[in-house]
Amino acid sequence: MKDLKHTPAPWLISPKYQVITDKDNYNIVQIAGITHEKEWEANAKLIASAPTMLDTLITVSNFYHNCEALTVAEQVILQKLMTKPLKNILESLLI
């Protein structure tokens, strides 16, 4: 497997400073311009979950490419998941 380019997990939410940090407390991203706490928190959770979502996409991609005996229904689901935009995202995140 190729190496990932992004900051490794975990990504942590720091509400006090409205930032997402890595485990060493280095800023990954600051979420600015949102005054509603619930909206900020929802966005922060989505951003912080990015490494986990990427791991899931990579797992699905590997399963898609390595599995030969799928039912028709499973093939349809995986084909929908592995659309061109998703493939482009995966390829752009890997070295």
Side-chain angles (χ1 to χ4, degrees):
M1 162 139 311
K2 298 177 181 181
D3 293 326
L4 296 173
K5 298 177 187 178
H6 69 79
T7 304
W11 289 7
L12 309 168
I13 299 170
S14 177
K16 181 177 179 181
Y17 301 107
Q18 293 191 333
V19 295
I20 307 297
T21 65
D22 68 5
K23 64 181 174 64
D24 297 320
N25 210 33
Y26 289 103
N27 289 358
I28 296 170
V29 66
Q30 181 173 11
I31 304 170
I34 299 174
T35 56
H36 295 59
E37 185 177 335
K38 290 186 181 207
E39 182 181 2
W40 181 90
E41 186 177 331
N43 289 342
K45 287 178 180 180
L46 178 62
I47 294 166
S49 68
T52 301
M53 289 190 288
L54 177 61
D55 288 343
T56 302
L57 291 174
I58 290 170
T59 299
V60 169
S61 176
N62 289 338
F63 179 77
Y64 177 77
H65 293 292
N66 296 325
C67 192
E68 296 173 6
L70 296 176
T71 67
V72 172
E74 292 167 333
Q75 290 174 13
V76 169
I77 291 169
L78 285 174
Q79 286 172 350
K80 287 181 181 179
L81 288 172
M82 295 306 297
T83 63
K84 186 173 181 176
L86 178 56
K87 288 179 185 177
N88 291 342
I89 290 168
L90 286 172
E91 289 171 2
S92 72
L93 294 171
L94 301 173
I95 295 176

